[in-house]
């Protein structure tokens, strides 16, 4: 049932959602949520069939109903991830290792809510009744009842190792998505991305620094960290979508969503493999960062690695296939025995629970937020 007739109604619904998922940190009450639209470098469409024409200032300027539908769909998916991530992170407050980490968590969650707010503002101000329906639904699905739109956003974030691995890898996927949308022909969508990207970079930094600080403290065995990498990275690869995706193809042709490196990549475009192209660039970035973290690991501990792109995938041409973290193929039977050994185990969680009791598992960070 549609309960929202304007953005003010949606705001009431939003505070209801906050309450429903149990957010009561005092810091959330002080934050003033608002939609922010940034300044684009120019107002011409950058790629696709409409290249060189003026960007579409409102949904009414979009020349084709199919393009309007595709634009709305992109916004819905983006908005869904924002609220989902807050739901996933909602239980970490009491176990924060320090005031700094607590405030980082508050900031990340607040900004994710603002991103969801931003997407809802676009839906409601641009897309009429169907936009209002979708903006309402963004607050009705729940990560913990498994009905968020994308797999990674229904996984559970149980502890602070999850949180740092998540912000390092899942938020980094977010940076890729936002960047690709920042070149959009639909002007308010592209404009939305600029402030969001600034905020997102803090989330990635929180993840990367968090993992570095954990390794520096030397209390959590890297074998356990590796199993958390194995949990979050394949599902992050999945977030880039299917191989040979026709919706990615059309989003490009219509100028709605560019390549991650659109402004440097040149005119030659492999439109059949857009998702895979972004996925590869993303994996390369993850590999580089992981190599830097590895430099902090003492000799006797195993290094961390980014799993092979084929390991434990649920989407794309490797979905349901049997590959190890290193990319070797197994039989179905071998794989069934193998998989539980490379994902976080009950013993890992038990070990982490006792490690987390001491606050020395992560080196302190004195920086002010
Ligand atoms: Fe976000
Ligand atoms: Fe984020």
């Amino acid at each position: 049932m549609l309960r929202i007739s304007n953005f003010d109604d949606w705001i009431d619904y939003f505070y209801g959602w906050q309450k429903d998922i149990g957010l009561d940190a005092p810091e959330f009450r002080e934050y003033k949520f608002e939609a922010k639209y940034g300044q684009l470098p120019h107002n011409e469409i950058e790629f696709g069939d409409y290249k060189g024409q003026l960007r579409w200032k409102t949904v009414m300027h979009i020349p084709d109903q199919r393009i309007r539908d595709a634009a709305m769909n992109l916004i819905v998916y983006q908005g869904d991830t924002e609220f989902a991530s807050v739901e996933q992170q909602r239980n970490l407050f009491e176990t924060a290792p320090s005031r700094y980490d607590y405030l980082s968590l508050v900031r990340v969650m607040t900004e994710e809510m603002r991103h969801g707010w931003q997407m809802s503002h676009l839906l409601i101000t641009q897309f009429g009744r169907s936009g209002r329906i979708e903006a309402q639904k963004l607050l009705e699905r729940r990560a913990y009842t498994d009905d968020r739109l994308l797999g990674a956003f229904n996984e559970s974030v149980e502890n602070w190792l999850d949180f740092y691995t998540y912000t390092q890898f899942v938020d980094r996927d977010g940076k890729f998505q936002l960047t690709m949308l920042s070149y959009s022909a639909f002007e308010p969508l592209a404009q939305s991305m600029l402030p969001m990207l600034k905020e997102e970079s803090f989330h990635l930094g929180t993840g990367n620094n968090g993992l570095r600080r954990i390794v520096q403290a030397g209390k959590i065995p890297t074998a356990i960290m590796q199993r958390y990498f194995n949990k979050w990275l394949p599902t992050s690869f999945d977030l880039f979508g299917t191989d040979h995706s026709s919706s990615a193809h059309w989003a490009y042709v219509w100028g709605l969503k560019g390549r991650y490196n659109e402004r440097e990549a040149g005119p030659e475009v492999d439109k059949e493999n857009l998702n895979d192209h972004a996925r590869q660039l993303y994996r390369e970035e993850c590999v580089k960062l992981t190599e830097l973290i590895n430099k902090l690991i003492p000799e006797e501990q195993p290094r961390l690695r980014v799993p092979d792109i084929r390991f434990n995938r649920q989407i794309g041409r490797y979905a349901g296939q049997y590959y190890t973290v290193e990319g070797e193929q197994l039989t179905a039977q071998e794989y069934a025995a193998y998989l539980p050994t490379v994902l976080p185990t009950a013993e890992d969680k038990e070990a982490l629970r006792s490690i987390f009791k001491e606050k020395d598992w992560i080196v302190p960070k004195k920086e002010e937020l």
Side-chain angles (χ1 to χ4, degrees), residues 308-345:
D308 188 273
I309 205 104
R310 293 166 291 188
F311 167 68
N312 204 24
R313 294 287 305 283
Q314 310 299 319
I315 277 178
R317 62 181 175 277
Y318 303 114
Q321 297 197 22
Y322 313 120
Y323 285 94
T324 66
V325 173
E326 292 80 20
E328 288 156 48
Q329 200 159 15
L330 299 178
T331 65
Q333 219 182 4
E334 288 166 335
Y335 189 73
Y338 167 80
L339 188 63
T341 68
V342 290
L343 295 176
T345 61

Side-chain angles (χ1 to χ4, degrees), residues 150-306:
L150 299 165
F153 295 92
N154 292 312
E155 296 282 339
S156 64
V157 176
E158 292 170 17
N159 60 51
W160 280 79
L161 179 55
D162 266 324
F163 176 70
Y164 287 121
T165 316
Y166 182 101
T167 39
Q168 170 78 318
F169 297 127
V170 181
D171 286 75
R172 194 167 300 280
D173 160 81
K175 177 187 78 166
F176 272 68
Q177 303 299 335
L178 302 182
T179 302
M180 293 187 275
L181 294 172
S182 73
Y183 312 125
S184 187
F186 184 36
E187 193 167 80
L189 177 57
Q191 288 172 326
S192 294
M193 294 304 131
L194 306 179
M196 284 170 73
L197 273 165
K198 261 194 210 144
E199 290 160 344
E200 204 59 40
S201 72
F202 174 77
H203 312 174
L204 320 178
T206 299
N208 191 48
N209 287 324
L211 293 175
R212 293 175 65 88
R213 289 163 57 215
I214 290 173
V215 167
Q216 283 169 323
K219 293 281 157 41
I220 299 182
T222 53
I224 295 183
M225 293 180 77
Q226 181 63 51
R227 285 190 279 276
Y228 281 81
F229 275 38
N230 299 345
K231 171 181 175 182
W232 289 108
L233 272 156
T235 191
S236 302
F237 295 150
D238 283 340
L239 289 175
F240 288 89
T242 58
D243 312 289
H244 311 296
S245 156
S246 65
S247 54
H249 175 119
W250 287 109
Y252 191 85
V253 169
W254 290 332
L256 291 173
K257 186 175 177 181
R259 290 166 292 175
Y260 179 65
N261 53 357
E262 187 59 45
R263 289 185 186 143
E264 303 88 57
E268 214 65 51
V269 188
D270 179 3
K271 291 187 204 123
E272 300 318 301
N273 291 298
L274 287 159
N275 288 342
D276 220 32
H277 172 70
R279 183 166 23 245
Q280 292 297 345
L281 292 176
Y282 166 81
R283 187 176 183 280
E284 283 164 26
E285 187 170 308
C286 294
V287 166
K288 273 192 202 132
L289 288 163
T290 302
E291 279 166 7
L292 291 173
I293 295 173
N294 277 336
K295 294 199 171 136
L296 305 169
I297 297 180
E299 283 297 318
E300 66 281 4
Q301 288 268 338
R303 315 282 97 173
L304 293 164
R305 66 184 302 153
V306 172

Side-chain angles (χ1 to χ4, degrees), residues 61-90:
H61 293 81
I62 299 180
D64 185 318
Q65 183 62 44
R66 290 172 307 166
I67 307 181
R68 272 173 249 167
D69 292 346
M72 187 172 89
N73 208 39
L74 289 168
I75 296 165
V76 167
Y77 270 78
Q78 189 57 47
D80 194 74
T81 69
E82 308 291 359
F83 291 122
S85 70
V86 176
E87 291 161 2
Q88 287 171 299
Q89 295 165 3
R90 75 197 191 287

